[in-house]
Amino acid sequence: MNTRTILIAMLVAACCAPILTRGAQPPGTTATVVRLPAPVEALDPRPLAPIAASSDPAFRPKRTPGELSDRVVSYTMQATLDPSPGVKSVTGKQRLTWRNPSDAPVGELQFHLYLNAFRDRESTFMRESGGKLRGDIMPEDGWGNIEVTSMATAAGEDLLPRLEFIQPDDGNVEDRTVARVPLTTPVAPGQTIELDMSFVSKLPKIFARTGHAGNFFFVGQWYPKLGVYEPKGMRGRTDSGWNCHQFHANSEFYADFGVYDVELTVPENFTVGATGALLGGRPSPDGGVTYHYRQADVHDFAWTADDNFVTGERTVSIEGASDVKVTALVQAEHAATLERHLDASEKSLRWFHANIGPYPYETLTCVDPQEDGDGAGGMEYPTLITAGIATTSEGTLPEVDDPLLEIVIFHEFAHQYWYGMVASNEFEEPWMDEGITSYSEDLGLPDLWPAKRSAYVAYGGVNVLCLPFENPALAEFSRFAAQRSVVRRGPLINQSWGYKGAYGYGVNAYPRPAIALQSLRILVGDETMRRILRTYFDRWKFGHPTSQDFFDVASEVSGRDLQWYFDQAFRSDRLLDYGVQSVETREQQDTVDVILERVGDAVFPIDARVTRADGSMETLSWDGRSAQRVFTIARLPAVQRVDVYPNGSPRLDAFATNDTWTERTDRAGPARLATDCGLLFEHLTLLLLGAF
Amino acid sequence: MNPLLAIARGIRAASSSGSLVALGWIYGVLAALAAILTIVVYTVVSLGVARSGVAGQLRSGLPTDWLIDTFTQPGAGSKFIAILMLAVALAVVYAAASVALSGGVVARLLGSLEAGSGEREPFLAACGRFAGPMLRVALIEVVFLVVVGGVLAIVWVAGLAGDAGNAFAWISLGVLVIAIAVITGVSDVARVHVVATGDRSAVAAWRDALAHAARRAPVFIVVVVFNLVVAAAVAWIAVTLHGTIQRETGTGVLIGLAVGQVGVLGRIWVRIVALSTQASLRRLAA
Ligand SMILES: [Zn+2]
């Protein structure tokens, strides 16, 4: 899901929200220095957020030769789209094959029926979201649902009467997004079961990711989809069982890998895009055209159909990897942006190949939703991503100063790695997908698309004026997620529905983990961080890791135990803030006391740098554990500047102003701001009150 | 009647030494108020970044670190609102001062237009003499602006609700701007009427001004549009020119300040020219 709007909204909220007070500064004189030699654990005995343990080594990804993933589940489907007004539904059949991956018999199956989130106002999704998601509002006449019309075993046993809705997360009996089916004969370990099902998916008006807008259809989360059966030891589980959560306002995906073989029938004049490779098309006996798609080693299948797409194609060849056919499906009125879609997709592919690992699939499809369907924009599905000109209105400008479209495409493509291949559990550990994706943006975007300007004055739907504000990387703004008002609300890791509202989810899934990873990079260095990310991807692709698995990789690659860092940054509500408290000259001793302080309750090792009048430098190393540390150094040459983080500031540090100390306060900077304010006042006064 | 003649004479009158004194007074008031705001902002900002490297980062604009630190600090909101309130209060002072000074401005302009018309009254004395009627003229102007603005707002909302589209948005904006310019033009003629006739009734002045504008509608509109275009152009040039000044050093900040103030001076002078052209037109039409 795309960050741009979310981040900006959160930024505004962060600045406007009632701001909680920062910790009182310790007394400012050296005479009253209080040393706190206690270990940091003793400073703050609050318990850490509980998280799943590391995965049992037996559950590292299994790879059969010729297969990328452990194919637990497979779907062979036939689906027909009826786009006529008042119908707007998909009628489907599927043969589902599931293998019991555990060493004990399994007596029931659990399914996601996501579309029932849009059934009425009482679903958990609607109750939690209040009918609003990512700035879009659920239209009153736009309800949708999914009905399973038949379900039988291959032997012909009718299972439909046994289907019952369950609510494992919140007990909301009105919620029908998860169903269970008890089996007469349990599935033995390693054995497979085949089910034949048929279903009717009434598509909602696009509000949250899926549905229709006019003749544009984005069909996601649309079929009865099996949950994940997790054996003991997988993802640190202490008992075996289904992992099948309800559809929450702020939850995305988690599913098993397998093979999808899907035939989609649509009216002749519709263009289709879907997960996987197109094997062929043929006229359907019932009218329309049937397209046949197939993709192995993915955990979902989504598709789109529209009679207004223009299509662009490009084959991307990268040495050492198989060719990727990139397809862009763009609204006809946005045809001018076809090349931008293709370029952005290609650049993203190349960046990830060079920096994270190869993209193993043969296709990538990039979709531009109809403008009324922008709720489907900025989303990721296996080998299929959506961007959207409507959500990035600058994209329609002929001169592109602000590459918002490209940023969204890069973001959604990044998900191919963290959501698509690594496939962490976004219900339970949302940071592992959106957070690492946001961090990938921090790494990739500055080089690929350095944003120049982003402040536009729009009038009547036209961008009239591009204000000359340099647009700092979004990443710089993400430091707001380190503020007390965010951090003190609770640990970064939580279930996606456990945070307080959309803001709590948004800030903890996107910018906060991104700055926590950036701060880790400051701690271990760029090269080590690069290896951590590459190793994590390589080890855990197609593997469903836990947060702890990521932490373990980081400790292993860096060669040092980093658990203390992850415990603070990911599992606690500790605030990081170090600063220079003061620099005091002791004339008689001919020395200077440089006093560094730990303002927050998180601990981070410090290598502060002192710069003297002659340009010479020295480093003051401190483990950061005590409340303060006084360094007594020679008085001359005069100390001109002290930098707490000379090698780059960890963005987790909540307050940057105290990160540096200068002998004199610069006057020109504040003077520029003040005189500009004065001038702005004069111009505005003349504009508004200029008439005598 | 030739509008160009009215404009030419208006510009000449606005450039006379007597009118430049008026310009000096108005600019002086605005600059003094801006200086108060500047000093307050400088003090608050400097205190916030005292002995921090962030102070130096402010040389290149508004650094992200400063924005986040400043606006997430306890009390940041109330500090920001206090500065905003101060700016509003200063703007109100300017509005009052400019109304109070307008009698003197018109007197100087009329003095220049009627060259050699005897002894020149001290500027502030003229201001004082007409302060009452000028305030009443301005209040009537405000009433007109509120009514016209209200009507256009209703039309606008109705248009947006009816999905009237981009063209409608642009046209309604144009109509609004022209309407404001016309009201200001009529109001200027009323001010001239007060000073020229010594009639202290604002209602009579507005009646006379409306009659004048109606009688000479085409020429009046030409002068109004001319003034509007010149004002917009000068404002645009002033802002753009200031934007080109590199303000990363102390010297740069000072140059930026100087260039900025020249722009402000230019805008006020253009405003006096607008008043002057209306005075000149009224005189020619008499
Ligand atoms: Zn995302």
Side-chain angles (χ1 to χ4, degrees), chain A residues 51-105:
Chain A
I51 58 170
S54 313
S55 299
D56 186 302
F59 291 93
R60 294 256 177 107
K62 297 182 193 72
R63 277 153 211 159
T64 315
E67 296 178 7
L68 298 171
S69 68
D70 184 22
R71 298 175 182 174
V72 174
V73 67
S74 290
Y75 296 82
T76 304
M77 312 166 95
Q78 295 86 35
T80 303
L81 172 71
D82 183 344
S84 43
V87 183
K88 309 272 186 194
S89 67
V90 174
T91 309
K93 284 196 289 194
Q94 67 183 20
R95 166 160 282 206
L96 183 156
T97 310
W98 178 72
R99 172 169 51 82
N100 177 358
S102 74
D103 53 12

Coordinates of all heavy atoms in Angstrom, one line a residue, chain A residues 51-105:
Chain A
I51 N 6.8 -10.9 21.4 CA 6.9 -11.2 20.0 C 7.1 -12.6 19.8 O 7.6 -13.3 20.7 CB 8.0 -10.4 19.2 CG1 9.4 -10.7 19.8 CG2 7.7 -8.9 19.2 CD1 10.5 -10.1 18.9
A52 N 6.8 -13.1 18.6 CA 7.0 -14.5 18.3 C 8.5 -14.8 18.3 O 9.3 -13.9 18.0 CB 6.5 -14.8 16.9
A53 N 8.9 -16.0 18.7 CA 10.3 -16.4 18.7 C 10.8 -16.6 17.3 O 10.1 -16.5 16.3 CB 10.5 -17.6 19.5
S54 N 12.1 -16.8 17.2 CA 12.7 -17.1 15.9 C 12.0 -18.4 15.4 O 11.6 -19.2 16.1 CB 14.2 -17.5 16.0 OG 14.8 -16.5 16.8
S55 N 12.0 -18.5 14.1 CA 11.4 -19.7 13.5 C 12.4 -20.9 13.8 O 13.6 -20.7 13.8 CB 11.3 -19.6 12.0 OG 10.4 -18.5 11.7
D56 N 11.8 -22.0 14.0 CA 12.6 -23.3 14.2 C 13.3 -23.5 12.9 O 12.8 -23.4 11.8 CB 11.6 -24.4 14.4 CG 12.3 -25.7 14.8 OD1 13.1 -26.2 14.0 OD2 12.0 -26.2 15.8
P57 N 14.6 -23.9 13.0 CA 15.4 -24.1 11.8 C 14.8 -25.0 10.8 O 15.0 -24.9 9.6 CB 16.7 -24.6 12.3 CG 16.8 -24.1 13.7 CD 15.4 -24.0 14.2
A58 N 13.9 -25.9 11.3 CA 13.2 -26.8 10.4 C 12.3 -26.1 9.4 O 11.9 -26.6 8.4 CB 12.4 -27.9 11.2
F59 N 12.0 -24.9 9.8 CA 11.0 -24.1 9.0 C 11.7 -23.0 8.2 O 11.0 -22.1 7.7 CB 9.9 -23.5 9.8 CG 9.0 -24.7 10.3 CD1 9.2 -25.2 11.6 CD2 8.0 -25.1 9.5 CE1 8.4 -26.3 12.0 CE2 7.2 -26.2 10.0 CZ 7.4 -26.8 11.2
R60 N 13.0 -23.1 8.0 CA 13.6 -22.3 7.0 C 13.0 -22.7 5.7 O 12.6 -23.8 5.5 CB 15.2 -22.5 7.0 CG 15.9 -22.1 8.3 CD 16.6 -20.8 8.1 NE 17.2 -20.3 9.4 CZ 18.5 -20.4 9.6 NH1 19.3 -20.9 8.7 NH2 19.0 -19.9 10.7
P61 N 13.0 -21.8 4.7 CA 12.3 -22.1 3.5 C 12.9 -23.4 2.8 O 14.1 -23.6 2.8 CB 12.7 -20.9 2.6 CG 13.0 -19.8 3.5 CD 13.5 -20.4 4.8
K62 N 11.9 -24.2 2.4 CA 12.3 -25.5 1.7 C 12.2 -25.2 0.3 O 11.3 -24.6 -0.2 CB 11.3 -26.6 2.1 CG 11.2 -27.0 3.5 CD 10.3 -28.1 3.7 CE 9.9 -28.4 5.1 NZ 9.0 -27.3 5.7
R63 N 13.3 -25.7 -0.4 CA 13.2 -25.5 -1.9 C 13.5 -26.8 -2.6 O 14.5 -27.4 -2.5 CB 14.2 -24.5 -2.3 CG 13.7 -23.1 -2.2 CD 14.7 -22.0 -1.9 NE 14.2 -20.9 -1.1 CZ 15.0 -20.1 -0.4 NH1 16.3 -20.2 -0.5 NH2 14.4 -19.2 0.3
T64 N 12.4 -27.2 -3.3 CA 12.5 -28.4 -4.2 C 13.2 -27.9 -5.5 O 12.8 -26.8 -5.9 CB 11.1 -28.9 -4.5 OG1 10.4 -29.0 -3.3 CG2 11.2 -30.3 -5.1
P65 N 14.1 -28.7 -6.1 CA 14.7 -28.2 -7.3 C 13.6 -27.8 -8.3 O 12.6 -28.5 -8.5 CB 15.5 -29.4 -7.8 CG 15.8 -30.1 -6.6 CD 14.7 -29.9 -5.6
G66 N 13.7 -26.7 -9.0 CA 12.8 -26.2 -10.0 C 11.6 -25.5 -9.4 O 10.8 -24.9 -10.1
E67 N 11.6 -25.4 -8.1 CA 10.5 -24.7 -7.4 C 11.1 -23.6 -6.5 O 12.1 -23.9 -5.8 CB 9.6 -25.6 -6.6 CG 8.8 -26.6 -7.5 CD 7.9 -27.5 -6.7 OE1 7.8 -27.3 -5.4 OE2 7.4 -28.5 -7.3
L68 N 10.5 -22.4 -6.5 CA 11.1 -21.4 -5.6 C 10.6 -21.5 -4.2 O 11.3 -21.2 -3.2 CB 10.7 -20.0 -6.2 CG 11.2 -19.7 -7.6 CD1 10.5 -18.4 -8.0 CD2 12.7 -19.5 -7.5
S69 N 9.4 -22.0 -4.0 CA 8.7 -22.0 -2.7 C 8.2 -23.4 -2.4 O 8.2 -24.3 -3.2 CB 7.6 -21.0 -2.7 OG 6.5 -21.5 -3.5
D70 N 7.9 -23.6 -1.1 CA 7.2 -24.8 -0.7 C 5.7 -24.6 -1.1 O 5.0 -23.9 -0.4 CB 7.4 -24.9 0.8 CG 6.8 -26.2 1.3 OD1 6.7 -27.2 0.5 OD2 6.5 -26.3 2.5
R71 N 5.3 -25.3 -2.1 CA 4.0 -25.1 -2.7 C 2.9 -25.9 -1.8 O 2.6 -27.0 -2.1 CB 3.9 -25.5 -4.1 CG 4.9 -24.6 -5.0 CD 5.0 -25.1 -6.4 NE 5.9 -24.3 -7.1 CZ 6.3 -24.5 -8.4 NH1 5.8 -25.5 -9.1 NH2 7.2 -23.7 -9.0
V72 N 2.4 -25.2 -0.8 CA 1.5 -25.9 0.1 C 0.1 -25.9 -0.5 O -0.7 -26.8 -0.3 CB 1.5 -25.1 1.4 CG1 0.4 -25.6 2.4 CG2 2.8 -25.2 2.1
V73 N -0.3 -24.9 -1.3 CA -1.6 -24.8 -1.7 C -1.7 -24.5 -3.2 O -0.8 -23.8 -3.7 CB -2.4 -23.7 -0.9 CG1 -1.8 -22.3 -1.2 CG2 -3.9 -23.7 -1.1
S74 N -2.7 -24.9 -3.9 CA -2.8 -24.6 -5.3 C -4.3 -24.3 -5.7 O -5.2 -25.0 -5.1 CB -2.3 -25.7 -6.2 OG -0.9 -25.8 -6.1
Y75 N -4.5 -23.4 -6.6 CA -5.8 -23.0 -7.0 C -5.9 -23.2 -8.5 O -5.1 -22.6 -9.2 CB -6.2 -21.6 -6.6 CG -6.2 -21.3 -5.1 CD1 -5.0 -21.0 -4.4 CD2 -7.4 -21.2 -4.4 CE1 -5.0 -20.7 -3.1 CE2 -7.4 -20.9 -3.1 CZ -6.2 -20.7 -2.4 OH -6.3 -20.4 -1.1
T76 N -6.9 -23.9 -9.0 CA -7.2 -23.9 -10.4 C -8.6 -23.3 -10.5 O -9.6 -23.8 -9.9 CB -7.2 -25.3 -11.0 OG1 -5.9 -25.9 -10.7 CG2 -7.4 -25.3 -12.5
M77 N -8.7 -22.2 -11.2 CA -9.9 -21.4 -11.1 C -10.5 -21.0 -12.5 O -9.7 -20.9 -13.5 CB -9.7 -20.1 -10.4 CG -9.0 -20.3 -9.1 SD -8.4 -18.7 -8.4 CE -9.7 -18.3 -7.3
Q78 N -11.8 -20.9 -12.6 CA -12.4 -20.3 -13.8 C -13.4 -19.2 -13.2 O -14.2 -19.5 -12.3 CB -13.3 -21.3 -14.5 CG -12.5 -22.5 -15.2 CD -12.2 -23.6 -14.2 OE1 -13.1 -23.9 -13.4 NE2 -11.1 -24.2 -14.3
A79 N -13.2 -18.0 -13.7 CA -14.0 -16.9 -13.2 C -14.5 -16.1 -14.4 O -13.9 -15.9 -15.4 CB -13.2 -16.0 -12.3
T80 N -15.8 -15.6 -14.2 CA -16.4 -14.8 -15.3 C -16.9 -13.5 -14.7 O -17.6 -13.5 -13.7 CB -17.6 -15.6 -15.9 OG1 -17.2 -16.8 -16.4 CG2 -18.2 -14.8 -17.0
L81 N -16.5 -12.4 -15.4 CA -16.8 -11.1 -14.9 C -18.1 -10.7 -15.6 O -18.2 -10.7 -16.9 CB -15.7 -10.1 -15.2 CG -16.1 -8.6 -15.0 CD1 -16.2 -8.3 -13.5 CD2 -15.0 -7.7 -15.6
D82 N -19.1 -10.3 -14.9 CA -20.3 -9.7 -15.5 C -20.3 -8.2 -15.1 O -20.6 -7.8 -14.0 CB -21.6 -10.3 -14.9 CG -22.8 -9.7 -15.6 OD1 -22.7 -8.7 -16.2 OD2 -23.9 -10.4 -15.5
P83 N -19.9 -7.3 -16.1 CA -19.7 -5.9 -15.7 C -21.0 -5.1 -15.9 O -21.0 -3.9 -15.7 CB -18.7 -5.4 -16.8 CG -19.0 -6.3 -18.0 CD -19.5 -7.6 -17.5
S84 N -22.1 -5.8 -16.1 CA -23.3 -5.0 -16.4 C -23.8 -4.2 -15.2 O -23.6 -4.7 -14.1 CB -24.4 -5.9 -17.0 OG -24.5 -7.1 -16.3
P85 N -24.4 -3.0 -15.4 CA -24.8 -2.2 -14.3 C -25.7 -3.0 -13.4 O -26.6 -3.8 -13.9 CB -25.5 -1.1 -15.0 CG -25.0 -1.0 -16.4 CD -24.7 -2.5 -16.7
G86 N -25.6 -2.8 -12.1 CA -26.5 -3.5 -11.1 C -26.0 -4.9 -10.8 O -26.4 -5.5 -9.9
V87 N -25.1 -5.5 -11.7 CA -24.6 -6.8 -11.4 C -23.2 -6.7 -10.8 O -22.9 -6.9 -9.6 CB -24.6 -7.7 -12.6 CG1 -24.2 -9.1 -12.2 CG2 -26.0 -7.7 -13.2
K88 N -22.2 -6.3 -11.7 CA -20.8 -6.1 -11.3 C -20.3 -7.2 -10.3 O -20.0 -7.0 -9.2 CB -20.7 -4.7 -10.5 CG -21.3 -3.5 -11.3 CD -20.3 -2.9 -12.2 CE -20.9 -1.6 -12.8 NZ -20.1 -1.1 -13.9
S89 N -20.4 -8.4 -10.9 CA -19.9 -9.5 -10.0 C -19.0 -10.5 -10.8 O -19.0 -10.4 -12.0 CB -21.1 -10.2 -9.4 OG -21.8 -10.8 -10.4
V90 N -18.4 -11.3 -10.0 CA -17.6 -12.4 -10.6 C -18.1 -13.7 -10.1 O -18.3 -13.9 -8.9 CB -16.1 -12.2 -10.1 CG1 -15.3 -13.4 -10.6 CG2 -15.5 -10.9 -10.6
T91 N -18.4 -14.6 -11.1 CA -18.9 -15.9 -10.7 C -17.7 -16.9 -10.9 O -17.1 -16.9 -12.0 CB -20.0 -16.3 -11.6 OG1 -21.0 -15.3 -11.6 CG2 -20.7 -17.6 -11.1
G92 N -17.4 -17.6 -9.9 CA -16.2 -18.4 -10.1 C -16.3 -19.9 -9.6 O -17.2 -20.2 -8.8
K93 N -15.4 -20.7 -10.1 CA -15.2 -22.1 -9.6 C -13.8 -22.3 -9.3 O -12.9 -21.7 -10.0 CB -15.6 -23.1 -10.7 CG -17.1 -23.2 -10.9 CD -17.5 -24.5 -11.6 CE -17.0 -24.3 -13.1 NZ -17.6 -25.3 -14.0
Q94 N -13.5 -23.0 -8.2 CA -12.1 -23.3 -8.0 C -11.9 -24.7 -7.5 O -12.7 -25.2 -6.7 CB -11.5 -22.3 -7.0 CG -12.0 -22.3 -5.6 CD -11.4 -21.2 -4.7 OE1 -10.9 -20.2 -5.2 NE2 -11.4 -21.4 -3.4
R95 N -10.8 -25.3 -8.0 CA -10.4 -26.6 -7.3 C -9.1 -26.2 -6.5 O -8.1 -25.7 -7.0 CB -10.0 -27.6 -8.4 CG -9.3 -28.8 -7.7 CD -9.3 -30.0 -8.6 NE -10.6 -30.7 -8.4 CZ -10.7 -32.0 -8.6 NH1 -9.7 -32.8 -8.9 NH2 -11.9 -32.6 -8.5
L96 N -9.3 -26.5 -5.2 CA -8.2 -26.1 -4.3 C -7.5 -27.4 -3.8 O -8.2 -28.3 -3.4 CB -8.9 -25.4 -3.1 CG -8.1 -24.8 -2.0 CD1 -8.9 -23.7 -1.4 CD2 -7.8 -25.8 -1.0
T97 N -6.2 -27.3 -3.9 CA -5.4 -28.5 -3.4 C -4.6 -28.0 -2.2 O -3.9 -27.0 -2.4 CB -4.5 -29.1 -4.5 OG1 -5.3 -29.3 -5.6 CG2 -3.9 -30.4 -4.1
W98 N -4.7 -28.7 -1.1 CA -3.9 -28.3 0.1 C -3.2 -29.4 0.7 O -3.7 -30.5 0.8 CB -4.8 -27.6 1.1 CG -4.1 -27.2 2.4 CD1 -3.2 -26.1 2.5 CD2 -4.1 -27.8 3.6 NE1 -2.7 -26.0 3.8 CE2 -3.3 -27.0 4.5 CE3 -4.8 -28.9 4.2 CZ2 -3.1 -27.4 5.8 CZ3 -4.6 -29.2 5.5 CH2 -3.8 -28.5 6.3
R99 N -1.9 -29.2 1.0 CA -1.1 -30.3 1.6 C -0.9 -29.9 3.1 O -0.6 -28.8 3.5 CB 0.2 -30.4 1.0 CG 1.2 -31.3 1.6 CD 2.4 -31.6 0.8 NE 3.1 -30.3 0.3 CZ 3.9 -29.6 1.0 NH1 4.2 -30.0 2.2 NH2 4.4 -28.5 0.5
N100 N -1.2 -30.9 4.0 CA -0.9 -30.7 5.4 C 0.6 -30.7 5.7 O 1.2 -31.7 5.5 CB -1.6 -31.8 6.2 CG -1.4 -31.7 7.7 OD1 -0.6 -30.8 8.1 ND2 -1.9 -32.7 8.4
P101 N 1.1 -29.5 6.0 CA 2.6 -29.4 6.2 C 3.1 -29.8 7.6 O 4.3 -29.8 7.8 CB 2.8 -27.9 6.0 CG 1.6 -27.2 6.5 CD 0.4 -28.2 6.3
S102 N 2.1 -30.2 8.4 CA 2.5 -30.5 9.8 C 2.7 -32.0 10.0 O 2.5 -32.8 9.1 CB 1.5 -30.0 10.8 OG 0.3 -30.8 10.7
D103 N 3.1 -32.4 11.2 CA 3.3 -33.9 11.4 C 2.1 -34.4 12.3 O 2.2 -35.4 12.9 CB 4.6 -34.1 12.1 CG 4.8 -33.3 13.3 OD1 3.8 -32.7 13.8 OD2 5.9 -33.2 13.8
A104 N 1.0 -33.7 12.2 CA -0.2 -34.2 12.9 C -1.4 -34.0 12.0 O -1.4 -33.2 11.1 CB -0.4 -33.5 14.2
P105 N -2.5 -34.9 12.1 CA -3.6 -34.7 11.3 C -4.3 -33.4 11.5 O -4.3 -32.9 12.6 CB -4.5 -35.9 11.6 CG -3.9 -36.6 12.8 CD -2.6 -36.0 13.1

